[in-house]
Amino acid sequence: MAKKLILSVAALAATALLAGCSGSAPADDGAVTGEITVLTQRTDIVDTVFKDYAAQFEKAYPGTSVKFEAIKDYETDVSTRLSSGSYGDVLLIPNTVTKVQLAQFFEPLGSVEELGKSYRFVQEMAYDDLAYGVAITGNAQGVIYNKNVWADAGITELPTTPDEFLTDLKLIKDTTDATPYYTNYADGWPLSQWEGNRAATGDKDASITLVDTDSPWKKGEYHEIADGLLYDIVAQGLSEDDPTTTDWESSKAGLGSGKIASMVLGSWAITQMQDAAVTAGGSADDIGYMAFPSAVDGQTYSTIGGDYKNAISINSKNKATARAWIDWFANESGYAADQGGLSPVVDGPDPDSLTDFTASGVEYLELTPVPADKATWENDILSESEIDLWGQIYRQKIVDIARGAADGDKASQFDALNKAWAAAKASVEG
């Protein structure tokens, strides 16, 4: 495998140089040398793990130097810095950047077809058939849970439908001291994790379906199923008593120790919860991962996709070294495996943390990109309707209604969401 990866890196380097002649890769002299600045959100390991990464890269490419800039509030700070033109040589593409905006800030890394021969998830940050980023790791989507709590409640088979999930949460509430489900309402962003399960009903074209429908919250659609489950969890008293005081960091300790039974989170969270379990005196094996409970004919599905994408600043004065770093990071650093993530490399190995998950028979689905003529529609509809599918506000309102802190009920809220969506879609269509 090591030899294969080395050959892969060499091939990519050659491809980059050749592509430079055709204008589809960074335009510079092609020399991998000199200093680059890499922006990262990993403030926790920038002085340890990332320092080792830099040393390995500099050894592989003599004459290079890698400097890191770790940013705690990455999304906000880097999104602001984009307008200044000063945002390092390599950076993670902020989620605030739309596909139409990619060419304004980042260097194309090649065509989607070309880059897709080496890397997965390249279409997620591509526009007009050009790819702009390589994922630092990949994620599966599902539900993370404490095995001991579920076992103590007498649950021997994992739920595959919303009703079964609710039944199991009730059992946990009735027979253990654990909070069956934790929304992380106050921190907010964990609620956006529900959106990541978009293909959980077996529809890999779910993103295309979404921009073509007038009613995402009608019976049987993913948002009706998922948001309906969230509503029912809260309405039936199966979540934390006071969601306004939740805290992400303490929730990790809670799930690791068994005070919390389950949370909807991407697979990126598995290693963090395992660490929390060990810190609490337990074992990493206490943490399990299950498919989102929306099986179709008994088959469960997990949406898979890339995490943040490494990209090259269009203003970088050292694009060749920046490109070499991106390829090395994906192929050689081991970051994805260390984080328990899916490899961004085509045919890369699955992490040990997902062994039980994949053995359960869950089918991975990668969402089909929306066609180019409608590539911006989702963002446009979200902006027009003010429904933040990838944010937290609209799901916080669902939680508020379910717990009696806001007017309405599930039916009235879903009807309002459908009307707002349809009106925004009509406006976007013109």
Side-chain angles (χ1 to χ4, degrees):
M1 178 59 73
K3 185 176 181 181
K4 180 180 177 182
L5 292 176
I6 291 169
L7 289 172
S8 177
V9 171
L12 284 166
T15 299
L17 291 173
L18 290 172
C21 298
S22 65
S24 62
D28 62 8
D29 62 7
V32 181
T33 187
E35 182 179 278
I36 57 170
T37 297
V38 178
L39 308 189
T40 176
Q41 90 286 24
R42 293 305 304 266
T43 56
D44 54 336
I45 56 175
V46 68
D47 294 325
T48 53
V49 176
F50 272 52
K51 190 175 180 179
D52 290 340
Y53 290 160
Q56 294 176 48
F57 178 79
E58 290 162 3
K59 183 177 180 181
Y61 293 95
T64 61
S65 175
V66 180
K67 182 174 70 176
F68 297 109
E69 187 177 343
I71 302 167
K72 185 176 181 181
D73 190 358
Y74 188 90
E75 277 293 317
T76 301
D77 290 355
V78 177
S79 295
T80 302
R81 285 175 58 174
L82 289 178
S83 60
S84 73
S86 178
Y87 42 92
D89 297 287
V90 176
L91 68 157
L92 308 170
I93 301 175
N95 293 318
T96 53
V97 176
T98 66
K99 289 190 173 184
V100 174
Q101 295 173 318
L102 288 169
Q104 296 178 36
F105 304 113
F106 307 107
E107 192 75 14
L109 303 181
S111 69
V112 170
E113 180 180 5
E114 174 192 351
L115 203 65
K117 293 177 182 176
S118 300
Y119 299 117
R120 307 164 79 177
F121 317 127
V122 297
Q123 298 206 48
E124 294 177 5
M125 281 298 170
Y127 186 70
D128 201 18
D129 200 36
L130 290 175
Y132 290 85
V134 174
I136 57 175
T137 184
N139 290 310
Q141 301 296 327
V143 182
I144 199 163
Y145 68 104
N146 187 298
K147 293 179 182 177
N148 295 333
V149 176
W150 284 64
D152 289 346
I155 300 167
T156 57
E157 292 187 14
L158 294 175
T160 60
T161 68
D163 286 343
E164 289 178 0
F165 192 72
L166 289 168
T167 297
D168 289 342
L169 295 188
K170 290 176 185 173
L171 201 55
I172 290 169
K173 181 178 181 179
D174 293 341
T175 60
T176 77
D177 294 327
T179 299
Y181 186 85
Y182 200 78
T183 68
N184 261 306
Y185 170 101
D187 279 281
W189 65 263
L191 286 168
S192 70
Q193 297 287 295
W194 287 72
E195 193 62 31
N197 289 283
R198 191 176 282 183
T201 57
D203 181 12
K204 67 177 183 180
D205 298 328
S207 292
I208 300 173
T209 303
L210 181 64
V211 298
D212 284 337
T213 183
D214 286 331
S215 50
W217 286 270
K218 73 179 179 183
K219 186 70 175 177
E221 297 290 342
Y222 167 72
H223 289 90
E224 185 272 336
I225 294 170
D227 291 339
L229 178 57
L230 175 62
Y231 182 96
D232 290 340
I233 289 170
V234 177
Q236 295 179 28
L238 302 173
S239 55
E240 64 270 24
D241 291 335
D242 183 3
T244 64
T245 60
T246 62
D247 170 68
W248 164 246
E249 289 300 328
S250 62
S251 75
K252 290 194 291 186
L255 195 133
S257 65
K259 293 180 180 177
I260 294 171
S262 53
M263 291 190 268
V264 170
L265 290 170
S267 62
W268 57 266
I270 296 174
T271 55
Q272 295 189 38
M273 297 303 177
Q274 289 175 332
D275 290 344
V278 172
T279 300
S283 163
D285 291 337
D286 295 344
I287 304 303
Y289 201 62
M290 72 175 84
F292 191 85
S294 56
V296 178
D297 296 330
Q299 176 63 55
T300 53
Y301 300 92
S302 175
T303 313
I304 62 169
D307 204 295
Y308 269 127
K309 315 293 186 302
N310 267 326
I312 301 173
S313 165
I314 200 168
N315 301 310
S316 171
K317 304 300 183 186
N318 197 352
K319 295 186 176 74
T321 304
R323 175 59 190 268
W325 169 262
I326 290 175
D327 292 329
W328 181 89
F329 192 87
N331 286 282
E332 301 292 341
S333 72
Y335 178 84
D338 291 344
Q339 301 303 312
L342 300 170
S343 174
V345 179
V346 172
D347 296 329
D350 285 341
D352 293 341
S353 58
L354 289 175
T355 298
D356 290 344
F357 185 58
T358 53
S360 72
V362 65
E363 181 178 336
Y364 287 148
L365 289 180
E366 190 172 348
L367 289 168
T368 306
V370 176
D373 62 332
K374 297 181 181 179
T376 67
W377 277 30
E378 182 174 333
N379 284 332
D380 296 341
I381 294 171
L382 298 185
S383 177
E384 183 75 18
S385 66
E386 298 184 346
I387 300 172
D388 59 335
L389 292 183
W390 296 99
Q392 63 214 47
I393 297 174
Y394 101 91
R395 286 194 177 88
Q396 284 177 327
K397 185 169 184 179
I398 289 172
V399 171
D400 284 340
I401 294 171
R403 67 191 181 97
D407 293 336
D409 56 24
K410 183 164 65 173
S412 65
Q413 179 61 10
F414 285 7
D415 183 55
L417 287 166
N418 279 330
K419 288 179 178 175
W421 185 273
K425 177 171 173 285
S427 176
V428 170
E429 290 174 327

